[in-house]
Amino acid sequence: MISEERRAEQQSALSEPPTGRLATPDVRDEFGLETIDMNMGPQHPAMHGLLRLILELDGETVVRCDPVMGYLHRCQEKIAENRMYPAVIPLTDRLDYFANMHNEHGYVLAVEDLLDVEIPPRAEYIRVLMCELMRLASHIPSIGFLMLELGAFTPILYAFRERERIQTIFEAVTGARMMFHYIRIGGVKADLPPDIPQKIWDYIEGLESRFKNDFVDLIQGNEIFISRTRGVGKMTPEKAVEMGLTGPPLRCTGVDFDLRRDYPYSIYPELEFDVITDTAGDVEASYRVRIAECLQSIRLIKQCLEKMPEGAVMGDLGRRLRPKEGDGFGRVESPRGEFAVHIVSDGSDTPYRVHYRDPSFCNMQLLQEVIPGHYLPDIMPIMGLVDPVSGGWDK
Amino acid sequence: MAFTMPEGTLEDRLKRYLDGFGSRHGLLESEIVGDAVRVVAAPGDVPAVLATAKEVLGIPHLSFITVVDRVGSFEITYALIDFRGARVNLKTTVEGDEPVIGTATAIYPTANWHEREAYDMFGVAFAGHPDLRRLYMWQDHFDHHPLLKSFEISTRRTFEGLR
């Protein structure tokens, strides 16, 4: 555990503005120092996917950070314009490949916004159950990645052990481990296998008992973790809102916003859960928010399993899907924030335009605002705060 | 903290937003649809309407900007949310093959990358944008805007024979 003296020292260091670390122009002139440009990525072992950062360095301090993306761009929006509505769903799986269920859910909500179809309650419960499992399978590895970037190897092994087990559940339910194509327009593909609710229950119970030991006690009090993350990437709530952040990076600054509660969709109004916020607005706070959200997801999964009604899992759709003309919006709270889909329909069986608003893409704008003034090794913890996914920002 | 959430019930806020836009700007259309205020403005008025949304009405969050190629004109949608259940969809139509519209980056800084994406994919120029470069496509030697309807993809449409 960290000593009281050390904690006080860190607190006092925090009160200084981060720009204080920068060499002033006068000092640079006096010693004839120059800033140097450096490329980080696109093929960097610690980078989340394919991202290139053009950095301007003054010694070891970053002066300017310019993210360059597009290395994984597949023009999903163009492909979607040339497919029939149901055929777009498997493509949305390839967007943010750590939140596939949320992508499917968001797209399907946008199409259903343009259709008159009643979703059976059992299907809604299964959707929420799958989305919350997906949130666990995304938050836990993201904690593991953050620790890996700080040099700790154990948490990623624990994290992937949990993710593997959740993927085994997904495999039993959907037939696929990552690219599910499970949530369909009007419901879900198939009912849960009869033994699965009990298996999910057992797994969740086990996770709850392991969770404190594996992800809280192991990490939270660790001195290296604290000194590498506390005060790093510090943001004020106003700045976070201005940059358009959503999800854990926004909530860790203290802004109380969660689409599940504030723009209720599916059956979230019937379920009880808390929106987690923290006030520090740094990397450590985002870790605490993710940890607490995992526990809320466990709570939601238990409620879903308890309350799940019997019945059909697919609504009554016509043979050919022709949504009415107009704009359809779908918004879901993905593990990384607000995932929104905007569909423009012209009344035919293919969408006229599909637009994805991916949270990784929007949250990554904080890199160019927050990284300047930090040291070079602080970049990776800040990436862990954003937790972007390459398939998400590159569409 | 300086950031405050909007006050009042959902109905009150929707009405306040509708009145706020209507009393300050000459709008082409405005109505409340469910939990959303739908506003249609002339392209020249868009920055002013967005400034009203941010500074007068206190809508904090620009969610995304969608551009739709209507072949000959471009329809641009600004989706705003106020974090507490109300949505505002601001629409505008820009004519011509090389459209120009005022930037929103001075009002909503998050519009920076959204506008760069729109420029990259559609060629819509945002006047006054601080850094209007291509976001995804190559910076040089690539003159196309892939999401235009005139940009054809090489594969055949799926299920062509079934229609």
Side-chain angles (χ1 to χ4, degrees), chain A residues 128-161:
Chain A
V128 169
L129 177 68
M130 290 296 131
C131 282
E132 292 305 323
L133 277 172
M134 192 79 236
R135 194 182 310 279
L136 281 177
S138 170
H139 272 355
I140 294 177
S142 93
I143 294 163
F145 289 140
L146 172 65
M147 294 309 292
L148 188 66
E149 284 149 9
L150 301 180
F153 200 73
T154 315
I156 191 82
L157 300 175
Y158 285 173
F160 265 83
R161 182 190 64 196

Coordinates of all heavy atoms in Angstrom, one line a residue, chain A residues 128-161:
Chain A
V128 N -30.9 -7.2 -23.8 CA -30.2 -6.5 -22.7 C -29.2 -7.5 -22.0 O -28.1 -7.1 -21.7 CB -31.2 -6.0 -21.7 CG1 -30.6 -5.5 -20.5 CG2 -32.0 -4.8 -22.4
L129 N -29.6 -8.7 -21.8 CA -28.8 -9.7 -21.2 C -27.5 -9.8 -22.0 O -26.4 -9.8 -21.4 CB -29.5 -11.1 -21.1 CG -28.7 -12.3 -20.6 CD1 -28.5 -12.0 -19.1 CD2 -29.5 -13.5 -20.8
M130 N -27.6 -10.0 -23.3 CA -26.4 -10.1 -24.2 C -25.6 -8.9 -24.1 O -24.3 -8.9 -24.1 CB -26.8 -10.4 -25.6 CG -27.4 -11.8 -25.8 SD -26.2 -13.1 -25.4 CE -27.1 -14.1 -24.3
C131 N -26.2 -7.7 -24.2 CA -25.4 -6.4 -24.2 C -24.7 -6.3 -22.9 O -23.5 -5.8 -22.9 CB -26.4 -5.2 -24.3 SG -26.9 -5.0 -26.0
E132 N -25.3 -6.7 -21.8 CA -24.6 -6.5 -20.5 C -23.4 -7.5 -20.4 O -22.3 -7.1 -19.8 CB -25.5 -6.6 -19.3 CG -26.5 -5.4 -19.2 CD -25.9 -4.1 -19.2 OE1 -24.8 -3.9 -18.6 OE2 -26.4 -3.1 -19.8
L133 N -23.6 -8.7 -20.9 CA -22.5 -9.6 -20.9 C -21.4 -9.1 -21.8 O -20.2 -9.2 -21.4 CB -22.9 -11.0 -21.4 CG -23.6 -12.0 -20.5 CD1 -24.2 -13.1 -21.2 CD2 -22.6 -12.4 -19.4
M134 N -21.8 -8.5 -22.9 CA -20.8 -7.9 -23.8 C -20.0 -6.7 -23.1 O -18.8 -6.6 -23.3 CB -21.5 -7.3 -25.0 CG -20.6 -7.0 -26.2 SD -20.1 -8.4 -27.1 CE -18.3 -8.2 -27.0
R135 N -20.7 -6.0 -22.3 CA -20.1 -4.9 -21.6 C -19.0 -5.4 -20.6 O -17.9 -4.9 -20.5 CB -21.1 -4.1 -20.8 CG -20.6 -2.7 -20.3 CD -21.6 -2.0 -19.5 NE -22.9 -1.9 -20.1 CZ -23.2 -1.1 -21.1 NH1 -22.4 -0.2 -21.4 NH2 -24.4 -1.1 -21.6
L136 N -19.3 -6.6 -19.9 CA -18.3 -7.2 -19.1 C -17.2 -7.7 -19.9 O -16.0 -7.5 -19.5 CB -19.0 -8.4 -18.4 CG -19.8 -8.2 -17.1 CD1 -20.4 -9.5 -16.7 CD2 -19.0 -7.5 -16.1
A137 N -17.5 -8.3 -21.1 CA -16.4 -8.8 -21.9 C -15.6 -7.7 -22.6 O -14.6 -8.0 -23.2 CB -17.0 -9.7 -23.0
S138 N -16.0 -6.5 -22.4 CA -15.2 -5.3 -23.0 C -14.5 -4.6 -21.9 O -13.4 -4.2 -22.0 CB -16.2 -4.4 -23.7 OG -15.5 -3.2 -24.1
H139 N -15.2 -4.3 -20.8 CA -14.6 -3.5 -19.7 C -13.5 -4.3 -19.0 O -12.4 -3.7 -18.7 CB -15.7 -3.2 -18.6 CG -16.4 -2.0 -18.9 ND1 -16.1 -1.1 -19.9 CD2 -17.4 -1.4 -18.2 CE1 -17.0 -0.1 -19.9 NE2 -17.8 -0.2 -18.8
I140 N -13.7 -5.6 -18.8 CA -12.6 -6.4 -18.1 C -11.3 -6.4 -18.9 O -10.3 -6.1 -18.3 CB -13.1 -7.7 -17.7 CG1 -14.3 -7.6 -16.6 CG2 -12.0 -8.6 -17.1 CD1 -14.9 -8.9 -16.2
P141 N -11.3 -6.8 -20.2 CA -10.1 -6.7 -20.9 C -9.5 -5.3 -21.0 O -8.3 -5.1 -21.1 CB -10.5 -7.2 -22.3 CG -11.6 -8.0 -22.1 CD -12.4 -7.4 -21.0
S142 N -10.4 -4.3 -21.0 CA -9.9 -2.9 -21.1 C -9.0 -2.6 -19.9 O -8.0 -1.9 -20.0 CB -11.0 -1.9 -21.4 OG -11.4 -1.3 -20.2
I143 N -9.5 -3.1 -18.7 CA -8.7 -2.9 -17.5 C -7.3 -3.6 -17.7 O -6.3 -3.1 -17.4 CB -9.4 -3.4 -16.3 CG1 -10.7 -2.5 -16.0 CG2 -8.5 -3.4 -15.1 CD1 -11.7 -3.2 -15.1
G144 N -7.4 -4.9 -18.3 CA -6.2 -5.6 -18.5 C -5.3 -5.0 -19.4 O -4.1 -4.9 -19.2
F145 N -5.8 -4.3 -20.5 CA -4.9 -3.6 -21.5 C -4.2 -2.5 -20.8 O -3.0 -2.2 -21.0 CB -5.7 -3.1 -22.7 CG -6.2 -4.2 -23.6 CD1 -7.5 -4.1 -24.1 CD2 -5.4 -5.2 -23.9 CE1 -7.9 -5.1 -25.0 CE2 -5.9 -6.2 -24.7 CZ -7.1 -6.2 -25.3
L146 N -5.0 -1.7 -20.0 CA -4.4 -0.6 -19.3 C -3.2 -1.1 -18.4 O -2.2 -0.5 -18.4 CB -5.5 0.1 -18.4 CG -5.0 1.2 -17.4 CD1 -4.5 2.3 -18.2 CD2 -6.1 1.6 -16.5
M147 N -3.4 -2.2 -17.7 CA -2.3 -2.7 -16.8 C -1.2 -3.2 -17.7 O 0.0 -3.0 -17.3 CB -2.9 -3.8 -15.9 CG -3.9 -3.3 -14.9 SD -3.4 -1.9 -14.0 CE -2.0 -2.5 -13.0
L148 N -1.5 -3.8 -18.8 CA -0.4 -4.3 -19.7 C 0.5 -3.2 -20.1 O 1.7 -3.3 -20.2 CB -1.0 -5.0 -20.9 CG -0.1 -5.8 -21.8 CD1 0.5 -6.9 -21.0 CD2 -0.8 -6.3 -23.0
E149 N -0.2 -2.0 -20.4 CA 0.6 -0.9 -20.9 C 1.4 -0.3 -19.8 O 2.4 0.4 -20.1 CB -0.4 0.2 -21.5 CG -0.9 -0.2 -22.8 CD -2.2 0.3 -23.2 OE1 -2.8 1.1 -22.4 OE2 -2.8 -0.2 -24.2
L150 N 1.0 -0.5 -18.5 CA 1.8 0.0 -17.4 C 2.9 -1.0 -17.0 O 3.6 -0.8 -16.1 CB 0.9 0.3 -16.2 CG -0.2 1.3 -16.4 CD1 -1.0 1.5 -15.2 CD2 0.4 2.6 -16.9
G151 N 2.9 -2.2 -17.7 CA 4.0 -3.1 -17.4 C 3.6 -4.3 -16.5 O 4.4 -5.1 -16.2
A152 N 2.3 -4.4 -16.2 CA 1.8 -5.5 -15.4 C 1.2 -6.6 -16.3 O 0.3 -6.3 -17.0 CB 0.8 -5.1 -14.3
F153 N 1.7 -7.8 -16.2 CA 1.2 -8.8 -17.2 C 0.1 -9.7 -16.6 O -0.7 -10.2 -17.4 CB 2.4 -9.7 -17.6 CG 2.1 -10.4 -18.9 CD1 2.2 -9.7 -20.1 CD2 1.8 -11.8 -18.9 CE1 1.9 -10.4 -21.3 CE2 1.6 -12.4 -20.1 CZ 1.6 -11.7 -21.3
T154 N 0.0 -9.8 -15.3 CA -1.0 -10.7 -14.7 C -2.4 -10.3 -15.0 O -3.2 -11.2 -15.4 CB -0.8 -10.8 -13.2 OG1 0.6 -11.0 -13.0 CG2 -1.6 -11.9 -12.6
P155 N -2.8 -9.0 -14.9 CA -4.2 -8.7 -15.1 C -4.8 -9.1 -16.4 O -5.9 -9.4 -16.6 CB -4.3 -7.2 -14.8 CG -3.1 -6.9 -13.9 CD -2.1 -7.8 -14.4
I156 N -4.0 -9.0 -17.5 CA -4.5 -9.3 -18.8 C -4.8 -10.8 -18.9 O -5.8 -11.2 -19.6 CB -3.5 -8.9 -19.9 CG1 -4.1 -8.9 -21.3 CG2 -2.2 -9.7 -20.0 CD1 -4.9 -7.8 -21.7
L157 N -4.1 -11.6 -18.2 CA -4.4 -13.0 -18.2 C -5.7 -13.3 -17.5 O -6.5 -14.1 -17.9 CB -3.2 -13.8 -17.5 CG -1.9 -13.7 -18.2 CD1 -0.8 -14.4 -17.4 CD2 -1.9 -14.2 -19.6
Y158 N -5.8 -12.7 -16.3 CA -7.1 -12.8 -15.6 C -8.3 -12.3 -16.4 O -9.3 -12.9 -16.5 CB -7.1 -12.0 -14.3 CG -6.2 -12.6 -13.2 CD1 -6.0 -11.9 -12.0 CD2 -5.7 -13.9 -13.3 CE1 -5.3 -12.5 -11.0 CE2 -5.0 -14.5 -12.3 CZ -4.7 -13.7 -11.1 OH -4.0 -14.3 -10.1
A159 N -8.0 -11.1 -17.1 CA -9.1 -10.5 -17.9 C -9.5 -11.4 -19.1 O -10.7 -11.6 -19.3 CB -8.6 -9.2 -18.4
F160 N -8.5 -12.0 -19.7 CA -8.9 -12.8 -20.9 C -9.5 -14.2 -20.4 O -10.2 -14.8 -21.2 CB -7.7 -13.0 -21.8 CG -7.8 -12.0 -22.9 CD1 -7.3 -10.7 -22.7 CD2 -8.4 -12.3 -24.1 CE1 -7.5 -9.7 -23.7 CE2 -8.5 -11.3 -25.1 CZ -8.1 -10.1 -24.9
R161 N -9.1 -14.6 -19.2 CA -9.8 -15.8 -18.7 C -11.3 -15.5 -18.6 O -12.1 -16.3 -19.0 CB -9.2 -16.1 -17.3 CG -9.8 -17.4 -16.7 CD -9.4 -17.5 -15.3 NE -9.9 -16.4 -14.5 CZ -9.5 -16.0 -13.3 NH1 -8.5 -16.7 -12.7 NH2 -10.0 -15.0 -12.7

